[in-house]
Amino acid sequence: MAAPRTTPTRKVLGRLSLPERTFVADALRTETVGGVLLLVAAVAALIWVNVPALHDSYESVSHFHLGPEALGLNLSIAHWAADGLLAIFFFVAGIELKRELVAGDLKDPRAAALPVVAALCGMAVPALVYVLTNLTGGGSLDGWAVPTATDIAFALAVLAVIGTSLPGALRAFLLTLAVVDDLFAILVIAVFFTASIDFAALGGAVIGLVVFWLLLRKGVRGWYVYVPLALVIWGLMYNSGVHATIAGVAMGLMLRCTPREGEKNSPGEHIEHLVRPLSAGLAVPLFALFSAGVSVSGGALGDVFTKPETLGVVLGLVVGKTLGIFGGTWLTARFTRASLSDDLEWADVFAVAVLAGIGFTVSLLIGELAFDGDAALTDEVKAAVLTGSLIAATLATVLLKIRNVKYRRMVEAEERDDDLDGIPDIYEEDDPAYHLRMAAIHENKAAEHRRIAELKAAERTGLAEVAGGAGEEDDRRA
């Protein structure tokens, strides 16, 4: 009688494929540097605003207008940072998502389900927490979307500052969460924060996007073609009333992210490699500089925990994000009959979920849009975003530090390359050629050790003979 066939249990958050590992490592390296700059910019903004002698200069620079009035683009510096520079950030996010879906590990629907469900739960639960807090406290529901975002750069900066190394699977999970999070955040902005639409300008932007797509399809190359066209599309999108960052994510999603025969990298990957440092190192830090400038005092921080709008933001980031991401991940694994990777525990997923409660950049942007026209409440919500992100970062630091010794061992195993071929050994364990290379390396080392052993033995024999001869000569003299 034949034994019943058993289906192997699928593992979640397991080892990344080698191309995916390379991509994630490169992306996170840039984002970590950008995250440190982001932290510096946020601290600089807080100092600039809260030092009395400097406060007026911050307001003057932030509200200084420039740009062509005839084109409807005479904007303040802060406005340029929020609508212009963040379009670059969302352009990169669009490329990341496209690459993940067509060439990355997420092209497998089963693999894509986990981070997508976790990201959706990580947005829905914080929004629910905010709504319940404000229904109970009689606050405004306008800010429900503020605590739904995760800031990957800020999270990575925290990891860099505290010296914690996350294993590749957890780093990729955090990055994918943030990318999916950014996409849904831009959809929320487009749907819920567009008050009125200029259909002529919107039509012009759509035509520009079609031209952009056709040029890509025809294989036309040259930054001098695409950059001016992108600026025109962005300007039309801004004047349409739809948030201008939509143009960035739309163009990012149009780029081809699968390499063709003879190509080392696809156009999307190549452009992302060029633009990501601009996004992480310039666009996002400058946005933070002109958005994080809020007055901080004991009374202001106390108000964060007493007003329903601000308390909803803090609870949404710290509690809602954690419960949403962890719960979504656990439920997905439970109902797909998958199990966690043998190297990880659910405590690791919980710690990453807490870390994802850092919702800096996009949360600040949505806060400005949600309470547009109420400057006082906007600043209070910004203070709540800063407070919630700081609490999440502190809690995540404690949780990750507890597991840091194990993480360090896992990272060392992932990066070990004893045969020096540029590929981590962990990806070559099933390759006979790898084991032959390692055998040759060990044989060479063994031969070298035998040679050294023979040399040392000869030296000892020589020393013994010299010592023995000296004793006999002394005896004859006696």
Side-chain angles (χ1 to χ4, degrees):
M1 183 175 179
R5 290 189 299 177
T6 58
T7 302
T9 303
R10 188 171 65 86
K11 300 291 185 180
V12 297
L13 298 182
R15 185 192 308 169
L16 302 176
S17 64
L18 184 58
E20 187 71 4
R21 178 190 179 278
T22 303
F23 172 80
V24 169
D26 291 342
L28 295 186
R29 192 176 298 112
T30 304
E31 291 291 351
T32 300
V33 174
V36 173
L37 294 176
L38 176 65
L39 282 175
V40 171
V43 172
L46 291 171
I47 294 173
W48 196 354
V49 166
N50 289 280
V51 173
L54 301 176
H55 179 82
D56 290 342
S57 65
Y58 181 87
E59 294 295 327
S60 299
V61 173
S62 182
H63 293 98
F64 180 79
H65 280 64
L66 72 160
E69 179 69 41
L71 299 178
L73 296 175
N74 185 240
L75 311 177
S76 67
I77 296 293
H79 212 160
W80 276 112
D83 289 77
L85 292 177
L86 279 194
I88 301 173
F89 167 78
F90 280 108
F91 174 70
V92 173
I95 300 175
E96 285 178 343
L97 184 66
K98 176 74 173 288
R99 196 209 69 85
E100 285 287 341
L101 292 174
V102 302
D105 284 0
L106 296 190
K107 65 182 179 182
D108 178 2
R110 293 181 304 170
L114 179 69
V116 170
V117 171
L120 287 174
C121 292
M123 297 184 75
V125 177
L128 180 62
V129 169
Y130 178 93
V131 169
L132 291 176
T133 303
N134 281 269
L135 285 176
T136 304
S140 170
L141 300 181
D142 293 342
W144 64 270
V146 175
T148 61
T150 293
D151 193 314
I152 182 65
F154 209 130
L156 292 173
V158 170
L159 293 178
V161 169
I162 66 177
T164 297
S165 299
L166 278 184
L170 290 179
R171 286 181 290 166
F173 179 58
L174 182 61
L175 177 62
T176 307
L177 273 177
V179 171
V180 176
D181 196 299
D182 289 339
L183 176 68
F184 284 107
I186 204 70
L187 291 176
V188 166
I189 290 172
V191 173
F192 295 99
F193 296 102
T194 300
S196 59
I197 298 178
D198 183 329
F199 288 99
L202 182 60
V206 171
I207 292 172
L209 288 171
V210 171
V211 172
F212 188 88
W213 180 76
L214 289 173
L215 291 174
L216 290 172
R217 293 276 293 183
K218 294 294 183 181
V220 176
R221 297 188 177 186
W223 65 268
Y224 46 84
V225 174
Y226 291 103
V227 171
L229 178 58
L231 291 174
V232 171
I233 294 171
W234 176 87
L236 289 169
M237 189 69 75
Y238 175 82
N239 281 287
S240 72
V242 178
H243 201 272
T245 51
I246 302 294
V249 75
M251 287 185 280
L253 288 170
M254 288 182 181
L255 292 175
R256 177 169 60 84
C257 293
T258 51
R260 292 175 179 167
E261 187 176 354
E263 289 182 337
K264 183 179 180 181
N265 295 306
S266 66
E269 291 171 315
H270 176 67
I271 292 172
E272 181 189 15
H273 181 72
L274 295 176
V275 179
R276 183 186 286 278
L278 178 64
S279 169
L282 180 67
V284 175
L286 281 178
F287 168 76
L289 182 65
F290 292 106
S291 292
V294 294
S295 297
V296 177
S297 64
L301 292 177
D303 290 342
V304 166
F305 297 97
T306 56
K307 293 189 175 182
E309 294 88 354
T310 51
L311 180 60
V313 169
V314 173
L315 292 178
L317 289 172
V318 178
V319 179
K321 271 288 182 184
T322 302
L323 294 180
I325 292 173
F326 180 79
T329 304
W330 186 85
L331 289 172
T332 303
R334 176 72 176 82
F335 286 104
T336 58
R337 297 182 179 179
S339 64
L340 197 63
S341 170
D342 295 334
D343 295 328
L344 299 174
E345 297 179 9
W346 283 109
D348 302 315
V349 180
F350 186 83
V352 171
V354 174
L355 184 66
I358 300 175
F360 190 74
T361 304
V362 180
S363 289
L364 291 176
L365 174 63
I366 295 177
E368 292 179 355
L369 298 173
F371 298 104
D372 187 27
D374 190 339
L377 187 53
T378 298
D379 283 348
E380 290 169 353
V381 167
K382 286 183 179 181
V385 170
L386 294 173
T387 303
S389 298
L390 181 60
I391 294 173
T394 303
L395 292 175
T397 297
V398 174
L399 295 173
L400 292 171
K401 276 294 186 182
I402 294 173
R403 303 276 291 168
N404 195 39
V405 174
K406 181 174 182 177
Y407 293 156
R408 191 176 294 114
R409 287 199 300 266
M410 292 174 67
V411 171
E412 288 173 356
E414 290 175 358
E415 295 178 350
R416 184 177 296 115
D417 182 19
D418 290 338
D419 62 343
L420 303 177
D421 66 343
I423 299 175
D425 295 340
I426 200 170
Y427 290 96
E428 300 181 297
E429 293 172 344
D430 297 327
D431 183 3
Y434 160 74
H435 293 284
L436 290 175
R437 288 195 301 272
M438 290 304 301
I441 290 172
H442 287 304
E443 287 167 2
N444 291 335
K445 288 182 177 179
E448 178 65 15
H449 283 296
R450 279 193 292 268
R451 187 189 66 81
I452 294 173
E454 291 171 357
L455 180 62
K456 296 298 182 183
E459 290 178 354
R460 286 189 177 184
T461 302
L463 289 173
E465 291 176 353
V466 171
E472 291 172 3
E473 184 179 346
D474 290 341
D475 290 340
R476 286 195 299 269
R477 288 177 181 174

